[in-house]
Amino acid sequence: MPILKIRGLTHYFGGLRAVHDFNLDLEEGELIGIIGPNGAGKTTVFNLITGVYRPTAGEIIFNGHNLVGKRPEQIISLGIARTFQTLRLFKNLTVLDNVRIARFSRLKYSPVEAMFKVGNRVRESEKETRLKCLELLEIMGLADKADWLASGLPYGLQKRLEIARALASEPRLLLLDEPAAGMNPAEISELMELIQWIRREFGLTIILIEHQMKVVMGICERIKVLDFGETIAEGPPAEIQNNPRVIEAYLGEEAVV
């Protein structure tokens, strides 16, 4: 069974159709890309998967669970994490605290225990959380900046921090929304290596939205192309980059001619 199965996913904003009849079978361990022009519906698909929006129609089945109608925090606890196209860090908190916040879905004590400090579970869980978060910061090259405010990080490192925060919830499925946006060529090459490494080391399944074709064509095994909310092509990178409909959607009909 696919780890993620989407059938007939459709979403309207009032009279505007954002996504129409989106279908996907995602096998565990795959790394796939979703591309398309601005406004094609890519981020809307992520928002539907993660419970930010409730779909107008269709079903989303993750690891046997129907996600439609579930709240974002419930979906996180099932094993789905994401990053955002626009950074959503807590910029007035430290780098370490940004990652610690994402561990709340994995805490092993109750609110009552936390409030009254009952037993040892709170202390042990907090110690374990700190160690795991520091390990993630080490992986991301941020351990020496654990006590910095997130706002003090350069943009490229803020992107890494957001990935670390997503990994802190121990996901099985990671959704990356334009992780290379705003990066220079050297940072993009490092990011490609990082995504492939964390996929192997953490046993992740990954869906990637990206405008940087170097990233998409370089690391994705399969690509879906959206235009005006509809899937216009799907296949391996070599097939997608030579597809006339894809070229037309990105560059205009004249480029195809």
Side-chain angles (χ1 to χ4, degrees):
M1 290 290 292
I3 189 172
L4 180 69
K5 182 171 72 173
I6 300 176
R7 291 290 181 271
L9 192 63
T10 299
H11 191 67
Y12 283 80
F13 294 107
L16 175 64
R17 189 182 71 185
V19 176
H20 176 65
D21 195 26
F22 182 89
N23 299 283
L24 177 66
D25 282 333
L26 184 65
E27 299 297 330
E28 190 158 12
E30 272 196 292
L31 197 172
I32 75 163
I34 300 177
I35 66 173
N38 289 330
K42 305 180 299 295
T43 297
T44 300
V45 169
F46 273 16
N47 286 335
L48 293 168
I49 294 172
T50 56
V52 177
Y53 303 145
R54 183 165 185 160
T56 306
E59 66 174 13
I60 308 168
I61 306 297
F62 173 71
N63 198 27
H65 298 274
N66 184 1
L67 301 185
V68 175
K70 284 186 169 25
R71 300 187 303 275
E73 66 271 20
Q74 293 174 309
I75 292 171
I76 289 172
S77 68
L78 289 173
I80 298 178
R82 69 174 294 183
T83 64
F84 293 87
Q85 182 178 350
T86 303
L87 287 170
R88 297 191 184 181
L89 298 173
F90 298 101
K91 294 194 174 182
N92 292 324
L93 295 181
T94 66
V95 168
L96 177 59
D97 283 342
N98 265 271
V99 182
R100 288 175 63 192
I101 284 173
R103 289 287 302 175
F104 284 166
S105 64
R106 299 293 178 227
L107 292 180
K108 299 175 182 177
Y109 54 81
S110 69
V112 172
E113 288 176 302
M115 184 177 298
F116 297 105
K117 306 294 184 182
V118 178
N120 295 322
R121 289 209 304 173
V122 174
R123 184 166 55 252
E124 291 172 358
S125 186
E126 288 291 343
K127 182 179 179 180
E128 179 187 357
T129 293
R130 179 179 175 83
L131 289 174
K132 284 187 177 293
C133 291
L134 286 172
E135 286 175 8
L136 286 172
L137 292 179
E138 182 71 36
I139 289 168
M140 294 295 165
L142 295 170
D144 61 334
K145 299 173 177 60
D147 295 327
W148 287 29
L149 290 180
S151 59
L153 291 177
Y155 183 77
L157 294 185
Q158 288 188 28
K159 285 279 192 176
R160 283 178 171 256
L161 176 57
E162 193 169 49
I163 295 174
R165 188 172 65 179
L167 292 174
S169 65
E170 298 182 6
R172 293 181 62 186
L173 173 60
L174 179 62
L175 310 179
L176 299 175
D177 195 347
E178 296 198 33
M183 289 187 171
N184 61 45
E187 290 172 330
I188 288 173
S189 295
E190 291 175 359
L191 176 70
M192 291 170 66
E193 293 178 3
L194 176 64
I195 292 172
Q196 292 173 308
W197 187 85
I198 62 175
R199 174 197 181 191
R200 293 192 303 269
E201 291 298 310
F202 289 86
L204 292 173
T205 306
I206 298 176
I207 306 178
L208 172 77
I209 293 173
E210 188 53 72
H211 282 292
Q212 290 282 351
M213 289 301 100
K214 175 183 177 181
V215 177
V216 177
M217 298 297 172
I219 66 175
C220 292
E221 299 153 343
R222 180 162 54 102
I223 300 169
K224 286 181 72 74
V225 187
L226 299 183
D227 191 26
F228 294 106
E230 294 191 2
T231 301
I232 62 171
E234 181 174 0
E239 179 181 314
I240 292 299
Q241 64 186 353
N242 294 308
N243 186 301
R245 290 195 68 188
V246 176
I247 296 171
E248 181 180 342
Y250 269 102
L251 302 177
E253 188 175 355
E254 292 81 2
V256 181
V257 176

